[in-house]
Amino acid sequence: MVIVEFILVVISVIAIAVEFRLKRPKTEKIIVCVISGILVAVFGIYPLLEPEEGEVEIEETSVVHHEILQKGIPRTYKELTFRMGSDMLDYYDVDLSYPRLLQPFKNREYDYPIEIWVDETGQLLISLIVRSIDGKIAGELFDNELVENPNNYFDRNYTKYGVEVVDKDLRPVFQIRIDETGLVYIYGVFYVEKDGEYLIVFISGSSYIIGDYKLIREEIESRINIRAFEYPSSTNLGILRQEQ
């Protein structure tokens, strides 16, 4: 088919050139040139513009992860409720169109700020200090990116509705998920200080465990969540874990 199209284009170009050299009426020359020009356009130019069979036209981003295709979450809430184990903490008339520094542990009088906001695409963005399960290794997550990550101990992944950080063994040390109703679920390990005493806070489901890691280690280990995403995130950004 390509050869036939090429031959027709060549014949049309030659016809135009010959027609101008022949002594024929002007009207006849115009008709031949118009017909030949149409053939050149149809068989010569248009195929170059049309995608070949099997070729897929792609958007500006060549790799589109599924979280980009998700509907974004709202940026404002009449009520935002944090669920942390057995604790529920409510915020009212919350505008997340800019970074908000929240204190989800203030009911327990612990200082552990978490910055949360939603960008113009509806993407949830989180900033906080993350810890290893024993609390000894610290990293920093800023707008879903690990800006401090000792020896690449942590990795992170996310969709528009949730963010997760895992350790080198792919055990989640932090998870947050928000739904359209304004309910925020938090899981993870948090290293808190009160009256000069440093303690581990571990939140999982309805469990809220706090104490010295050496004393609560077995209980924490028995309640560690299953990771939500595939890793490494560099090749699996936004890809949820497949059930085994």
Side-chain angles (χ1 to χ4, degrees):
M1 186 64 181
V2 174
I3 296 175
V4 174
E5 291 175 351
F6 177 76
I7 294 173
L8 287 173
V9 171
V10 172
I11 292 174
S12 298
V13 172
I14 294 174
I16 293 173
V18 171
E19 193 65 33
F20 273 102
R21 296 180 64 88
L22 294 175
K23 294 182 178 180
R24 291 185 179 178
K26 185 177 181 180
T27 302
E28 185 178 342
K29 288 185 177 181
I30 292 175
I31 293 173
V32 172
C33 289
V34 169
I35 295 174
S36 299
I38 292 174
L39 291 174
V40 171
V42 171
F43 295 103
I45 299 175
Y46 181 75
L48 298 177
L49 301 176
E50 186 181 34
E52 295 181 7
E53 184 177 354
E55 182 180 322
V56 179
E57 291 184 348
I58 59 176
E59 300 177 7
E60 293 181 4
T61 305
S62 59
V63 179
V64 182
H65 300 289
H66 82 267
E67 86 278 3
I68 297 175
L69 304 178
Q70 285 183 334
K71 178 184 177 183
I73 59 176
R75 306 182 78 187
T76 59
Y77 294 85
K78 291 183 178 180
E79 183 177 353
L80 197 64
T81 300
F82 281 79
R83 179 180 176 181
M84 299 159 295
S86 57
D87 283 9
M88 303 288 280
L89 182 61
D90 295 325
Y91 290 88
Y92 298 96
D93 297 322
V94 181
D95 181 1
L96 295 182
S97 62
Y98 63 96
R100 294 287 305 274
L101 197 61
L102 305 179
Q103 291 282 1
F105 298 102
K106 71 178 184 180
N107 284 351
R108 304 272 181 143
E109 299 182 357
Y110 297 128
D111 181 22
Y112 203 102
I114 295 179
E115 187 178 88
I116 176 174
W117 67 291
V118 178
D119 69 14
E120 62 277 2
T121 70
Q123 172 65 59
L124 176 67
L125 295 168
I126 300 294
S127 300
L128 82 161
I129 300 299
V130 292
R131 290 274 182 173
S132 58
I133 290 176
D134 59 7
K136 293 181 179 179
I137 301 175
E140 183 179 356
L141 189 73
F142 181 78
D143 286 350
N144 295 358
E145 299 298 331
L146 287 164
V147 295
E148 289 188 19
N149 189 13
N151 298 317
N152 292 317
Y153 184 85
F154 301 103
D155 197 355
R156 65 86 183 91
N157 212 332
Y158 57 89
T159 64
K160 289 191 173 180
Y161 284 79
V163 180
E164 176 181 74
V165 179
V166 297
D167 64 16
K168 61 181 180 62
D169 297 317
L170 300 183
R171 300 178 300 179
V173 297
F174 173 75
Q175 293 173 333
I176 187 169
R177 179 170 56 87
I178 185 171
D179 64 25
E180 293 183 347
T181 68
L183 188 58
V184 183
Y185 301 87
I186 292 181
Y187 158 95
V189 179
F190 307 91
Y191 198 57
V192 300
E193 185 270 336
K194 183 180 180 182
D195 301 327
E197 184 179 14
Y198 292 91
L199 301 170
I200 291 289
V201 174
F202 180 74
I203 297 172
S204 176
S206 60
S207 302
Y208 193 114
I209 306 169
I210 184 168
D212 184 286
Y213 176 70
K214 295 178 181 178
L215 301 178
I216 62 175
R217 176 178 177 177
E218 290 186 5
E219 191 169 3
I220 289 177
E221 293 285 348
S222 68
R223 298 176 183 268
I224 293 175
N225 265 15
I226 297 174
R227 59 185 170 84
F229 293 89
E230 297 290 352
Y231 290 92
S233 62
S234 58
T235 55
N236 293 282
L237 187 62
I239 306 301
L240 293 168
R241 179 176 178 270
Q242 299 297 316
E243 294 295 334
Q244 301 299 319

